[in-house]
Structures are given as structure tokens and as C-alpha cells.
Amino acid sequence: MPIDPYIALLLGTVGLAALVPARGVAADVASGASTAAIAFLFFLYGARLSTREAMAGLRHWRLHLTVLACTFVVFPLLGLAARGLVPVLLTQPLYQGLLFLTLVPSTIQSSIAFTSIARGNVPAAICAGSFSSLVGIVVTPLLAAVLLGNSGGGFSADSLLKIVLQLLVPFLAGQFLRRWIGGFVTKHKKVLGLVDRGSILLVVYTAFSEGMAQGIWHQVSAPRLGALLLVEAVLLAVMLTLTWYGARALGFDRGDRIAIQFAGSKKSLASGLPMAGVLFGAHASLAVLPLMLFHQMQLMVCAVIAKRRARDPQEPPAPQAPVPRTRVRPDGHGAP
């Protein structure tokens, strides 16, 4: 299966940072531009999110709570359980990146796309991804503060303040201005999408340039990368299984189970990379590496699952009570 072109661009950016890292004044300029790009990203997220659609989706609250529980409860618990793999399979920095991966919100675009391919409940996937991204702006930093602490690369009260200023304030500003700029954002969706991706590439370049100064490639060997991929494959398999059969045990129908499986088993690269840049600073390079690898893996695996789900036979409709038949009497009046 082909590699996602954007992942190829991300890996190329990592290679560029390894060959030509930003140093001195260039590093300061790149860092400032990265900070501005992160704020602009979350401003656009706020401007795009339709509050009306999000509120309308609240009527399916059981499904959304299930997705949120998978994203911010089950995933982090599995991340904590992986602590036992240090130092046998994972180094401490790689484990910190893996744990951070389990804390970020779910995706929106790919969850919607795969739910649509599998003939699932697309409106539910839209709302579930939107809720997860919205909740993640607050919950992900708080979970990072509790579970990663200072070992996560310097997370502190200052980092929480940066989250508020660089992520939450721009997001709220985008929501506030949506009534005036929402049409423009929708009309220029493709162009702004390129701006989104370019901003994230800048964040990755800045993070790995700083990582080069820290000598990160001396901390990661090929066997360790292979072990990380194996651990992430197991993590993804567990979450795909839990979301599907857990949703069935909770009584959701087929369309809802598909939405829960795809929204509840994914992690957002678009949200996670900027957050890592704010939370980890100079240590962000190793923190985002597990997320980048997991993102490509989830796209490949979920593409196969979605196509297979599309071939599943549709579930029969729920049985209805029989309608009593009417017998016509000779006098013309009906009698049951």
C-alpha cells in the first residue's frame, strides 16, 4: 500500500532538518515562525468548527462519550501499561513519545472518510471527531501534566500557559469570528488546507532542527525503531478490536459501531504535532516520532478495514409488530 504523500513530506522535512538544521539566528527565526504558525493553525480550527453542528450532534451523546472514553481513557491506560517495555524494547524518550501519542485527540478527516467508505454513520463520525478535537485542546495538556510531568521534556506551569496562549486563545478567537469569516474559510478551504500542512511542516522542521542540536539520532537505533513499530501495531490492533466489539456489547448498531471504531482508534497528527511543539520545546523531535509512525500505520490498516466493512451484508431492520388484518363483513363494516 502506498505511503501517504503527506507522511513522505514529513519524512522529507525530517531529513532536511538532519542535513540542514536551523542554527543561530535562523533557529530563532524558525522558532518564532513556528509559534506563529501553531497559533494560526488553531485559529483556523476554531473558524472551521460549526458550533451549530456540534450542538446538534449532542443528541447522540452515548456514541460521543464512547469515543471520548476510548480516546482519553482507554488509550492513556494502554500507554501507561507500555511503561513495562522500558528499557527492554523502548528507550525512555521513545516511551515518552508513545505515551504522548495516546493523549492526543482523534482525527476528523480520516475518520469521516473511512466511515463513509465502510457505509457507517458519517454524521456521527463528523461530530465525534469535532468533539474529540475540541476536548483535546484542554484535556491533552492536562493529561500530559499529570502523566508526563517534568519527565516529558520540561512540561511545567509555563507550558500550560503557552497552551492557553498559543492554542486555546486562537481557537476561541476563530470561533468568535466565525460568523464573519466562516464563509471565506469555507470558500478557500483548499488553499487554507495547504497553509495548514505547510505550518505543520514548519513545526516539524523546527522541532527536528532543535533535536539535531540535542543529538537525537544518537538516541535512536534501527532495532529500537523496529520495536517501536511493533508496539504501535499491537496498540492499534487492541484499540480496533476494543472499539468494534465494545460498541457491539454496548448495543450500538452497525453504522454507529463503524463510526466508533474509526473515530475511537485514531490519533490526530494535525493536532498532536503543534501540541508537542508547545509542550516539549527542544525535546519535541522524539516526542512526535511515534505519532508520525502511528499516523501512517492507522491510515494503511483502516483503509483495508473500511473496504472490507463496505462488503459486509447490511444488518436487517429491527422487527416490527404485525399489523392486524381486517376482515370485511357482508354489511360492509370491518372486523378484526
Side-chain angles (χ1 to χ4, degrees):
M1 184 169 295
I3 295 178
D4 178 12
Y6 190 55
I7 289 292
L9 281 175
L10 286 170
L11 294 177
T13 303
V14 172
L16 178 63
L19 295 174
V20 190
R23 300 182 185 277
V25 177
D28 294 335
V29 173
S31 178
S34 176
T35 299
I38 291 172
F40 184 64
L41 270 175
F42 279 82
F43 174 80
L44 288 179
Y45 292 162
R48 287 173 182 155
L49 179 62
S50 171
T51 307
R52 182 181 301 174
E53 292 178 1
M55 295 303 294
L58 285 175
R59 63 179 180 269
H60 214 349
W61 60 270
R62 287 183 65 246
L63 184 147
H64 301 316
L65 284 181
T66 302
V67 172
L68 290 176
C70 291
T71 303
F72 297 114
V73 178
V74 180
F75 251 119
L77 289 176
L78 292 175
L80 290 173
R83 179 66 179 83
L85 302 177
V86 180
V88 179
L89 290 179
L90 301 176
T91 62
Q92 183 65 22
L94 285 180
Y95 168 70
Q96 296 293 341
L98 179 70
L99 182 57
F100 173 73
L101 148 71
T102 66
L103 307 181
V104 302
S106 178
T107 62
I108 300 178
Q109 290 90 346
S110 60
S111 296
I112 296 169
F114 290 134
T115 300
S116 176
I117 292 172
R119 297 182 300 168
N121 189 339
V122 175
I126 295 173
C127 291
S130 300
F131 286 147
S132 180
S133 296
L134 181 60
V135 171
I137 293 176
V138 177
V139 172
T140 297
L142 293 178
L143 287 175
V146 173
L147 301 182
L148 291 172
N150 291 331
S151 63
F155 185 88
S156 62
D158 291 339
S159 298
L160 187 59
L161 180 61
K162 289 180 180 179
I163 286 289
V164 173
L165 295 178
Q166 294 185 39
L167 305 185
L168 187 57
V169 170
F171 179 86
L172 293 177
Q175 275 283 284
F176 177 75
L177 295 175
R178 174 178 167 77
R179 60 182 299 181
W180 295 287
I181 65 173
F184 176 84
V185 170
T186 302
K187 183 178 179 180
H188 299 85
K189 184 177 180 180
K190 290 185 177 180
V191 175
L192 292 176
L194 295 176
V195 173
D196 275 6
R197 296 192 165 207
S199 299
I200 293 175
L201 291 176
L202 177 60
V203 172
V204 170
Y205 175 76
T206 303
F208 277 88
S209 291
E210 294 175 347
M212 286 300 297
Q214 302 290 329
I216 62 164
W217 298 118
H218 298 292
Q219 305 175 36
V220 183
S221 62
R224 292 293 189 184
L225 281 178
L228 175 63
L229 286 172
L230 176 61
V231 172
E232 291 191 337
V234 173
L235 176 65
L236 180 60
V238 169
M239 286 307 302
L240 286 170
T241 303
L242 285 177
T243 50
W244 181 253
Y245 291 102
R248 174 180 292 178
L250 291 174
F252 289 100
D253 61 24
R254 178 186 178 277
D256 289 348
R257 292 201 303 271
I258 289 174
I260 290 171
Q261 184 178 48
F262 289 128
S265 64
K266 287 193 179 57
K267 290 297 181 177
S268 173
L269 188 72
S271 297
L273 288 179
M275 287 184 179
V278 176
L279 288 169
F280 295 91
H283 302 268
S285 48
L286 281 182
V288 303
L289 184 60
L291 179 59
M292 291 169 59
L293 296 176
F294 188 84
H295 180 81
Q296 173 62 28
M297 186 182 298
Q298 71 185 10
L299 291 181
M300 295 171 64
V301 173
C302 289
V304 174
I305 293 176
K307 292 177 181 178
R308 182 167 297 182
R309 291 267 182 262
R311 296 194 295 267
D312 290 344
Q314 293 291 318
E315 292 182 350
Q320 299 180 353
V323 179
R325 301 179 62 183
T326 302
R327 175 173 53 86
V328 179
R329 299 191 312 214
D331 57 6
H333 296 287

